[in-house]
Amino acid sequence: MKLIVGLGNPGEKYAATRHNVGFHWLCRLAEQLRITFKSEVKFHGLCANVVFDNEQFWLLKPQTYMNASGMAVAALSRFYKISPDQLLVVHDELDLPPGTAKLKLGGGAGGHNGLKDIITRLATQDFWRLRIGVGHPGNKNEVVDYVLHPPRKEEALLIDDAIQRSLVIWPLIASGDYTAAMHKLHTKQKEL
């Protein structure tokens, strides 16, 4: 793994929304690693360079708003010659209930505009995704409003728990042991 991207929207207005789960995950990882992000204009985002187990990788929070997330991902990926299979995108997932986290390689955008832009700009779907469940409002016409608002208190606790559980496996992801990471993450959820 050479690049971990957390998706979200910049600004205080969006900070606590469901759509910013990827930002929350990445901020927690940065806290664990005791690193800070700095603004990188050429990468259209907040970045941090990390060395873990003698491996170097990047953390990226795009500051382009969700619909243009691919601009930041493509800029950093191309500059450092990071291939899509060395990329992990952490994002909110409507198709999973709060409290669920799933790791997978590839797949479509599933209506997620951030993923859609990344797929378009990288010209591939073949990158890793860590999907943090936020649930679905039940009506597709309510999705935009739903993701741009904070979760209810009980949902927030479940989402926070999924973030914590998925952070436990990040060393396995960083080392490229995706099978073990998926097994550990997906098995833990079944036990709950």
Side-chain angles (χ1 to χ4, degrees), residues 3 11 31 37 41 44 47 65 72 83 95 108-109 116 133 137 147-148 152 158:
L3 172 58
E31 285 172 19
F37 291 93
V41 176
H44 314 283
C47 302
Y65 290 97
S83 64
D95 293 334
K116 203 177 294 181
V147 296
L148 294 178
R152 295 188 317 266
L158 291 168

Side-chain angles (χ1 to χ4, degrees), residues 24-36:
H24 295 302
W25 193 93
L26 215 55
C27 286
R28 293 264 190 86
L29 178 58
E31 285 172 19
Q32 280 185 18
L33 298 172
R34 293 184 173 86
I35 58 168
T36 55

Side-chain angles (χ1 to χ4, degrees), residues 40-136:
E40 292 281 354
V41 176
K42 68 182 173 184
F43 300 138
H44 314 283
L46 300 175
C47 302
N49 187 260
V50 180
V51 176
F52 180 78
D53 277 353
N54 297 320
E55 293 293 328
Q56 182 177 357
F57 62 97
W58 287 91
L59 304 181
L60 171 65
K61 292 180 5 181
Q63 299 295 289
T64 54
Y65 290 97
M66 187 64 80
N67 296 357
S69 298
M71 184 186 305
V73 175
L76 197 146
S77 295
R78 289 188 180 116
F79 188 85
Y80 289 106
K81 297 176 176 50
I82 297 170
S83 64
D85 65 328
Q86 297 173 311
L87 164 67
L88 172 68
V89 177
V90 184
H91 65 89
D92 57 302
E93 178 59 65
L94 289 166
D95 293 334
L96 295 175
T100 306
K102 297 276 187 183
L103 179 66
K104 75 172 195 169
L105 174 64
H112 194 292
N113 289 331
L115 289 177
K116 203 177 294 181
D117 194 57
I118 293 169
I119 290 167
T120 298
R121 291 178 191 261
L122 295 183
T124 185
Q125 299 179 359
D126 297 329
F127 52 88
W128 286 93
R129 298 107 186 274
L130 179 59
R131 305 156 59 218
I132 308 291
V134 296
H136 196 285

